[in-house]
Each structure stands twice: as structure tokens, then as C-alpha cells.
Amino acid sequence: MAETSKTYKVTLLPGDGIGPEIIAEGVKVLDAVGERYGFSCEYTEALLGGCAIDVCGTALPEETLRVAQASDAVLLAAVGGPKWDTTDPDKPRPEQGLLGIRKALGLYANLRPVRIFSALADASTFKPDVVEGVDLIIVRELTGGLYFGARERFYDEEGAGVDGGRGQRAFDTMEYREYEIERIVRHAFETARKRRNRVHSIDKANVLETSRLWREVTHRIAAEYPDVELIDMLVDNTAMQLVANPSQFDVVVTENMFGDILSDEASMITGSLGMLASASLGDGTALYEPSHGSAPDIAGLGVANPLAQILSVEMMLRYSFGENEAADAIANAVERVLADGWRTRDLANDADSAEKIVGTQAMGDLVVGALD
Ligand code: IPM
Ligand code: MG
């Protein structure tokens, strides 16, 4: 127990879909560990995503950003849903809220740890010997690349189709500055030093100019870390290696879009996208969110897996508050609940007995119960 009682200011962004259901479980667990380890949290809830579009007409209201900037950490659930789906470039989209807050808070480093909970070995679609011992972390660049480059959609005579009536053209731009590559790669090498001293740098240097710059910068930084092994890997090969032999990876560093795609792929090694937490770090307030989306198809049903959200709280305790014992307690509690056979629907398979399949709230309660 800590001697003095600390209070952390946490901004809650429940967002859309299953967001409000899973964030409630994250808060439940956070409060429960706080009681046990001598700290408390003061929460401010704010709007982001589709719900913000409904109320304010924009996915990232100024008030939300102000609240987030003034807090010690931000806990986000998920944004988006069919209600706000549009291909019209002039209409607001929920994802603009997410990208906007990442950029505004300067969260360039997105950490997505992929670890195997031994109890879930049979929930994975992989053979047990392939996933055994997998413990990797994706370090995804989060504020550059295609997500933030110049883009446009316009009418262009030359782009007209054979019928002559349709002539739209569109482009997105992938652009990186040297310092953007440098800081994320450095982050990866520092992370590797605390782990197994191996960095895979993922690019498409056989085709893309941004990747060739990425590779040069990475090798220059690598010279400062002679104790860390650096392996260049092309992104297509990485997609294959991740399913063929995932245990070869320790730290995987890559640009924004490659990291987005590879992290969804890597999450399935653990059995479910519902297990993958993430931390987004910059120089100020950090943000923690599950890597999965808002799952509109199961919103409101009380069946969503809250574990990625709960494990995001674990990361918050570690990276923002330095409450490592409390963080360990959450990790152990999740391990224990799974080892006891409890599953949400997404993790269950035929071997699991029906009475051990629980909903969102029950899973949160089980984790709290396993803290002691
Ligand atoms: C993620 C998500 C987001 C992204 C979407 C919702 C904009 O897929 O966090 O991985 O692409 O970054
Ligand atoms: Mg994604």
C-alpha cells in the first residue's frame, strides 16, 4: 500500500457502440485497484466520435480536447458505427475524432502488446505450438503517414470512365519527416532494451520512397544501440511471418498504416481482437484504448469482451502513473479469471461449458474478484 493517497485526473471517452459498456468495466477495475493500492481517480466524461457528431456536429469538440489536455490520462473505448458511415468527404466522420485527438495530443507512439494468455491457447485459431511463447509488441507510428497526408477528391475530365459521365479522381499521400521516423524508432529500441533486445523494422523499401528513408534513419539510430539486434522486414513478408512463426518477434516498429493492419492480424494470435490493449504516448497526456472497434452489431447486448479495455487500464497505470504493482494486479487477475475457464462469447469455443460464458459486466466483476 502506498502511504499517501494520490488522485489522478482521468478523462473518459466512452464513444459509440459497445464503448459505454466496456469503459464502465475499465472504471470498475480501476476504482477497485485504487482502493487496494492507495490511490483514487477523478473522472470527467467527454464526447468523442459519433455521439459528439450527434450533439455538437463535430467528432472532436473543443471542450473534449480541453478536458483531455488538462487530465493526467485519457481512457477511450471506441468510436464509429453505421449511423455515421458516409463516403461524402464533406460530412463529419467519427474516426476524425480519434485521429484528431491523437494528433492534438501529439501521441506519436502507439504500443500494442500481443501476449498469449496460456488459458486461451485453445481460443486461438492457430495450432498451440505456433502460438506458444508469443510475446511481442507492435510500436506503431501514430501521427504521420497516409492518415495525415494531403488528400483530395476532385472531378477530372481525364479520369472520366468509358461512358464519359464519371470522372472523379482521389489521392492520399504518404509522407514522413526524418524526425518523425527517428523518435518512433528510438522508442522501439528503448522498448527492446527492456525486453529481448530485438527490433524488426517493417517497411516496403523495395517500392516506397518513405520506406527507403525509414530504413536509412532506422539504421542510423541502430548504431546507437549495438546491444539490440535490428532486422529489416518487408511488410508483405511480415504479414506472412506473423502467422507462420510469430514467436520470432520481440519489438515490431512500423509506420501508421502498416501498423494498423499488422496489429489486427497479430491480435488473432491471442484468440480475439477483444484482448488487445493499446497505449498511445507522446510528450504530454497519454491515451489508452482497446485496439478493436465499437462493434455496433453487438452494442447494447451486454456481451462485449471488456478485457482489452481493462488491459488498457493496466497500461495506463504503468505508463502514466507508475503504479506498477496495481498494474501487475490487473494482469494477474485477468490471467486467473481466464485460467478458471471464464470466457466472453468471442473467446469461447466448443470445449467451453455454457455456464462459463459470461457477459460484459460479469467479466468485469470476475476481474475485480480476482484482484485479491
Ligand atoms: C485503430 C483503428 C483506427 C485506426 C480507426 C478506427 C481510425 O482501426 O486504432 O487501429 O485506423 O487507427
Ligand atoms: Mg485498426
Side-chain angles (χ1 to χ4, degrees):
M1 282 274 174
E3 283 143 41
T4 49
S5 176
K6 282 170 277 177
T7 304
Y8 301 112
K9 278 188 278 176
V10 177
T11 299
L12 299 178
L13 304 174
D16 311 313
I18 59 169
E21 296 162 64
I22 58 171
I23 209 166
E25 302 313 307
V27 169
K28 190 191 275 177
V29 172
L30 184 51
D31 284 336
V33 285
E35 263 168 44
R36 287 161 178 78
Y37 292 89
F39 63 87
S40 59
C41 294
E42 201 181 278
Y43 302 103
T44 311
E45 202 173 303
L47 295 169
L48 186 83
C51 59
I53 293 175
D54 287 349
V55 177
C56 313
T58 166
L60 175 57
E62 264 170 49
E63 171 69 4
T64 298
L65 195 54
R66 200 188 55 73
V67 168
Q69 274 160 341
S71 62
D72 297 315
V74 179
L75 187 65
L76 167 69
V79 300
K83 179 175 177 195
W84 305 281
D85 266 349
T86 173
T87 56
D88 182 344
D90 297 325
K91 292 237 170 74
R93 291 186 54 90
E95 292 76 10
Q96 290 165 342
L98 186 56
L99 302 187
I101 198 165
R102 286 173 178 170
K103 191 73 171 178
L105 295 178
L107 308 174
Y108 64 86
N110 181 228
L111 314 184
R112 299 186 162 184
V114 178
R115 58 188 152 177
I116 294 298
F117 290 89
S118 43
L120 285 184
D122 61 356
S124 175
T125 51
F126 290 62
K127 288 191 191 132
D129 60 311
V130 173
V131 300
E132 202 185 283
V134 169
D135 179 12
L136 64 91
I137 184 164
I138 296 180
V139 178
R140 168 186 174 193
E141 200 291 322
L142 202 60
T143 51
L146 278 174
Y147 279 64
F148 295 95
R151 72 195 55 194
E152 209 179 318
R153 175 113 75 98
F154 54 98
Y155 189 83
D156 167 25
E157 281 302 343
E158 284 173 37
V162 277
D163 63 2
R166 290 168 286 129
Q168 287 193 81
R169 210 162 127 183
F171 64 82
D172 297 279
T173 324
M174 191 186 303
E175 189 169 348
Y176 270 103
R177 284 163 206 266
E178 212 164 332
Y179 80 90
E180 293 176 300
I181 302 170
E182 225 175 273
R183 64 186 178 183
I184 190 72
V185 166
R186 215 176 274 285
H187 200 107
F189 277 101
E190 291 292 335
T191 305
R193 272 196 172 156
K194 296 183 208 124
R195 295 174 49 100
R196 303 194 307 279
N197 297 299
R198 175 183 286 188
V199 170
H200 278 81
S201 170
I202 312 307
D203 61 37
K204 188 74 185 171
N206 52 349
V207 178
L208 301 177
E209 205 51 51
T210 40
S211 283
R212 289 190 273 267
L213 178 62
W214 182 281
R215 205 172 265 215
E216 275 176 25
V217 172
T218 303
H219 282 258
R220 176 159 55 72
I221 305 286
E224 298 169 33
Y225 297 85
D227 50 321
V228 178
E229 180 188 9
L230 169 66
I231 299 144
D232 299 305
M233 200 178 258
L234 296 173
V235 64
D236 49 349
N237 183 29
T238 309
M240 186 270 278
Q241 294 290 338
L242 268 175
V243 294
N245 178 17
S247 57
Q248 70 185 291
F249 297 103
D250 177 17
V251 175
V252 176
V253 64
T254 191
E255 69 88 36
N256 205 345
M257 176 79 124
F258 295 162
D260 177 47
I261 297 169
L262 293 176
S263 60
D264 267 35
E265 186 192 3
S267 76
M268 282 314 290
I269 302 169
T270 69
S272 171
L273 186 53
M275 295 300 298
L276 202 67
S278 87
S280 302
L281 314 175
D283 300 319
T285 304
L287 179 147
Y288 301 85
E289 58 171 318
S291 299
H292 59 69
S294 61
D297 53 319
I298 56 164
L301 300 181
V303 297
N305 181 353
L307 292 176
Q309 181 84 74
I310 290 169
L311 294 169
S312 301
V313 168
E314 180 211 331
M315 295 189 86
M316 174 192 274
L317 292 171
R318 253 184 241 291
Y319 291 99
S320 282
F321 305 155
E323 299 279 359
N324 292 333
E325 281 179 44
D328 291 343
I330 294 180
N332 293 334
V334 170
E335 186 91 50
R336 199 160 320 143
V337 167
L338 294 171
D340 287 345
W342 299 103
R343 301 283 183 270
T344 43
R345 221 169 61 170
D346 54 309
L347 298 173
N349 64 19
D350 297 341
D352 297 308
S353 68
E355 57 272 23
K356 287 261 170 159
I357 299 174
V358 296
T360 312
Q361 289 184 11
M363 188 51 105
D365 292 338
L366 284 161
V367 173
V368 170
L371 286 172
D372 300 314

